[in-house]
C-alpha cells in the first residue's frame, strides 16, 4: 500500500477492525518513511457476470433500482429496500464465489421481496421469470395462496381478522 502523503511503496498495519456490517475491514497504517498514519478499507470483491458476458462489480444500488420499479405505488420504504439489498448481497456472498451470474442475483431477490410485499414480488417475478400469459400469473398467485394457507399469516388472513375485530 503506497503512502498517500509521500508515495512510499510500503506501510505497516497498526490496527485492524471489522466494520459494523462485517463486510469490510478498516486498517490503520503507518508509513515507515514519513511516519504519518492513514486508514484503508478492504472488502472482498464480488463480480456479477451478465448475460452479455460483461462482468461488473456487485452493486446494492442496482438491486434497489430494480426492485424499486416493482415497488412503485406500494407501501415500501427506502430503508426496507436497503435491507433487502443487504440480504441479497449476503445471500450471494454465502455462495462463496467471487463471480456470480446476474441470474443468481435475481433469484436471491425473490425470497426477501416476497416477504416484503407480495404485489411487488409478483411484478418483479413477472418480468424476471418472463411470464407470458395469465396462466403464469395464476400459477404464481396459487403458490402464494397455498403458502399463505400453510403459514396461516398471509395478508388475506390479516384482513379477515381485522374485519372480524372491527365493531
Amino acid at each position: 500500500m503506497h503512502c498517500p502523503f509521500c508515495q512510499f511503496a510500503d506501510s505497516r498495519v497498526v490496527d485492524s477492525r471489522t466494520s459494523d456490517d462485517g463486510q469490510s475491514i478498516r486498517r490503520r497504517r503507518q508509513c515507515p518513511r514519513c511516519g504519518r498514519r492513514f486508514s484503508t478499507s478492504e472488502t472482498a470483491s464480488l463480480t456479477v457476470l451478465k448475460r452479455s458476458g460483461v462482468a461488473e462489480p456487485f452493486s446494492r444500488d442496482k438491486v434497489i433500482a430494480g426492485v424499486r420499479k416493482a415497488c412503485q405505488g406500494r407501501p415500501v420504504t427506502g430503508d426496507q429496500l436497503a435491507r433487502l439489498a443487504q440480504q441479497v448481497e449476503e445471500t450471494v456472498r454465502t455462495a462463496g464465489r467471487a463471480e456470480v451470474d446476474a441470474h443468481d442475483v435475481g433469484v436471491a431477490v425473490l425470497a426477501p421481496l416476497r416477504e416484503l410485499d407480495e404485489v411487488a414480488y409478483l411484478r418483479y417475478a413477472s418480468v424476471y421469470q418472463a411470464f407470458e400469459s395469465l396462466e403464469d400469473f395464476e400459477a404464481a398467485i396459487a403458490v402464494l395462496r397455498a403458502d399463505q394457507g400453510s403459514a396461516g399469516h398471509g395478508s388475506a388472513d390479516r384482513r379477515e381478522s381485522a374485519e372480524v375485530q372491527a365493531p
Side-chain angles (χ1 to χ4, degrees), residues 74-155:
R74 302 295 304 156
V76 176
T77 67
D79 287 343
Q80 289 172 313
L81 291 177
R83 280 192 297 278
L84 181 139
Q86 181 178 352
Q87 285 179 299
V88 169
E89 183 174 4
E90 289 169 1
T91 300
V92 171
R93 283 191 185 276
T94 58
R97 299 179 314 205
E99 294 183 342
V100 295
D101 291 331
H103 177 78
D104 295 337
V105 175
V107 168
V109 167
L110 290 171
L113 183 56
R114 181 175 173 183
E115 289 294 317
L116 182 61
D117 189 282
E118 290 175 339
V119 172
Y121 165 80
L122 280 173
R123 290 174 177 171
Y124 185 87
S126 71
V127 173
Y128 185 73
Q129 296 175 337
F131 287 8
E132 295 181 6
S133 66
L134 288 176
E135 288 77 22
D136 293 336
F137 279 96
E138 289 170 346
I141 291 169
V143 169
L144 287 172
R145 284 190 175 140
D147 288 348
Q148 281 180 351
S150 65
H153 65 278
S155 58

Side-chain angles (χ1 to χ4, degrees), residues 10 59 69-70 75 92 153 163 166:
D10 197 14
S59 168
K69 291 175 188 170
V92 171
H153 65 278
E163 290 169 3

Side-chain angles (χ1 to χ4, degrees), residues 22-36:
Q23 298 297 317
S24 64
I25 297 175
R26 181 183 170 268
R27 297 197 194 279
R28 286 293 290 162
R29 297 177 175 271
Q30 184 172 11
C31 175
R33 184 162 68 181
C34 71
R36 294 183 73 180

Side-chain angles (χ1 to χ4, degrees), residues 1-12 27-40:
M1 181 81 212
H2 290 301
C3 173
F5 305 107
C6 70
Q7 303 306 315
F8 188 65
D10 197 14
S11 64
R12 182 174 72 86
R27 297 197 194 279
R28 286 293 290 162
R29 297 177 175 271
Q30 184 172 11
C31 175
R33 184 162 68 181
C34 71
R36 294 183 73 180
R37 290 187 175 195
F38 56 98
S39 296
T40 60

